[in-house]
Amino acid sequence: MKIIFATNNAHKLSEVQAVLGDGFTLLTPRDCGVTEEIPEEQETLEGNASQKARYLYDRTGMDCFADDTGLEVAALGGAPGVHSARYATDGHDFAANNRLLLKNLRGVTDRRARFRTVISLIINGEEHLFEGVVEGRILDHETGHEGFGFDPLFVPEGAEKSFAEMTPGEKNAISHRGRAVRKLAEYLHALEK
Ligand code: IMP
């Protein structure tokens, strides 16, 4: 089955492809002629995932899905949340985002945080939402070089190491995105039966 995934992030593409398996061919927006940046202007993860999937569906008429993820830090009232990508700057500057997070949590003992992913799937013109959450805590320094984004600062509950110290397989098994994508995969596999 061919389906468009609303991302041009190679890390995310390979994480999601690994969970969905070989039965699915993931296309990028670019593969389908959508080269402009897809708008995400909403104030919730659900709103953004939905806006991106609808945008792609309206332009291509093809089955598609989009995700939106936020890091929700308890001591910061759920920030950066839906603003995670542009926490420190207008761009996707992971290093600057990590520095700002460490600064905002300096001296804070409550380090609880969670990643939350929402996926909007549009299939046969109908929308379905899937959510994945992983609870954890924020370290006081970066550790590890795998993954992307806040991975060097996030240790999931029950683990001894950060997401950035895990193999892609280890991270996928417990991550927010892995959990949301497995729900998506179950739904899609059931449709194919
Ligand atoms: P997006 O909605 O998946 O683009 O995620 C928004 C922002 O959240 C990214 O720019 C990253 O800063 C952060 N983020 C999303 N997923 C992850 C992850 O798996 N690990 C670390 N940071 C992530």
Side-chain angles (χ1 to χ4, degrees), residues 113-115 134-139 151 153-166 170-171 174-176 179:
R114 63 183 199 161
F115 276 113
V134 60
E135 303 284 346
R137 66 191 163 87
I138 303 297
L139 295 170
D151 279 348
L153 290 177
F154 184 84
V155 175
E157 223 167 59
E160 299 287 312
K161 52 188 183 180
S162 78
F163 267 163
E165 294 175 292
M166 296 184 183
E170 286 173 326
K171 179 183 168 188
I174 54 174
S175 80
H176 45 302
R179 287 176 175 159

Side-chain angles (χ1 to χ4, degrees), residues 12 68-69 84-85 92 94 115 148-151 171 176-177:
K12 274 167 61 168
D68 201 35
T69 294
S84 291
H92 296 245
F94 296 146
F115 276 113
F148 68 99
F150 297 104
D151 279 348
K171 179 183 168 188
H176 45 302
R177 192 171 308 98

Side-chain angles (χ1 to χ4, degrees), residues 7 39 55 121 144 151 175 193:
T7 190
Y55 183 94
L121 166 73
D151 279 348
S175 80
K193 279 180 193 150

Side-chain angles (χ1 to χ4, degrees), residues 88-177:
T89 69
D90 245 8
H92 296 245
D93 187 338
F94 296 146
N97 286 345
N98 287 348
R99 278 197 302 275
L100 181 60
L101 182 59
L102 284 179
K103 182 169 160 245
N104 288 341
L105 287 179
R106 203 168 291 150
V108 175
T109 48
D110 177 3
R111 313 293 292 193
R112 287 172 303 140
R114 63 183 199 161
F115 276 113
R116 193 162 74 89
T117 292
V118 175
I119 293 176
S120 161
L121 166 73
I122 300 187
I123 192 149
N124 304 322
E126 274 186 26
E127 183 180 19
H128 305 268
L129 293 177
F130 305 90
E131 185 189 59
V133 173
V134 60
E135 303 284 346
R137 66 191 163 87
I138 303 297
L139 295 170
D140 60 10
H141 62 278
E142 294 191 25
T143 166
H145 300 283
E146 298 293 324
F148 68 99
F150 297 104
D151 279 348
L153 290 177
F154 184 84
V155 175
E157 223 167 59
E160 299 287 312
K161 52 188 183 180
S162 78
F163 267 163
E165 294 175 292
M166 296 184 183
T167 64
E170 286 173 326
K171 179 183 168 188
N172 258 335
I174 54 174
S175 80
H176 45 302
R177 192 171 308 98

Side-chain angles (χ1 to χ4, degrees), residues 34-94:
V34 178
T35 51
E36 68 275 22
E37 196 167 332
I38 300 175
E40 41 181 317
E41 303 149 329
Q42 309 304 309
E43 279 303 311
T44 61
L45 299 177
E46 286 78 4
N48 273 341
S50 206
Q51 183 179 21
K52 289 189 280 186
R54 287 196 179 282
Y55 183 94
L56 270 181
Y57 183 72
D58 288 347
R59 269 151 193 80
T60 65
M62 289 176 65
D63 295 334
C64 57
F65 64 94
D67 72 332
D68 201 35
T69 294
L71 176 69
E72 301 174 343
V73 180
L76 301 177
V82 72
H83 304 293
S84 291
R86 296 183 174 81
Y87 188 36
T89 69
D90 245 8
H92 296 245
D93 187 338
F94 296 146

